[in-house]
């Protein structure tokens, strides 16, 4: 793979990846159980709908195809390297 993250052992990448995954799961749980219900209770439906459109536009226009492609390539390279 064309990847700058090379190591003789995958252990550090696996360890950091596992820690990141655990932290990400905890954040998603917090969003799902606390933050989103709070927003749904306090933000008018019309504003929620408008924000959905704004987020979709950002995903489409703000991030950029080149950055998304590069992130996918990096993910593929890391997966192949540490599989």
């Amino acid at each position: 793979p064309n990847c700058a993250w090379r190591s003789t052992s995958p252990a550090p990448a696996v360890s950091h990846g596992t820690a990141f995954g655990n932290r990400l799961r905890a954040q998603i749980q917090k969003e799902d159980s606390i933050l989103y219900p709070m927003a749904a209770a306090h933000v008018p439906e019309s504003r929620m709908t408008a924000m959905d459109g704004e987020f979709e536009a950002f995903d489409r226009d703000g991030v950029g195809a080149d950055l998304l492609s590069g992130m996918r390539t990096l993910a593929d390279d890391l997966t192949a390297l540490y599989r």
Side-chain angles (χ1 to χ4, degrees), residues 63-77:
V63 175
D66 290 344
L67 179 59
L68 289 176
S69 176
M71 291 183 345
R72 287 186 183 111
T73 299
L74 176 59
D76 290 343
D77 288 349

Side-chain angles (χ1 to χ4, degrees), residues 16 18-19 23 25 30 44 58 63 67 70-71 78-79 83:
H16 291 297
T18 300
R23 179 142 179 128
R25 271 190 288 283
K30 178 181 178 182
F58 178 80
V63 175
L67 179 59
M71 291 183 345
L78 290 172
T79 298
R83 203 172 259 190

Side-chain angles (χ1 to χ4, degrees), residues 8-66:
T8 57
S9 170
V14 171
S15 175
H16 291 297
T18 300
F20 177 76
N22 290 337
R23 179 142 179 128
L24 186 58
R25 271 190 288 283
Q27 178 63 31
I28 291 168
Q29 176 63 30
K30 178 181 178 182
E31 290 171 357
D32 288 348
S33 63
I34 298 171
L35 300 177
Y36 292 140
M38 186 184 310
H42 297 285
V43 177
E45 184 64 32
S46 61
R47 183 63 188 124
M48 293 290 272
T49 301
M51 285 191 297
D52 283 342
E54 292 166 10
F55 293 139
E56 287 176 12
F58 178 80
D59 287 345
R60 183 185 63 243
D61 305 329
V63 175
D66 290 344

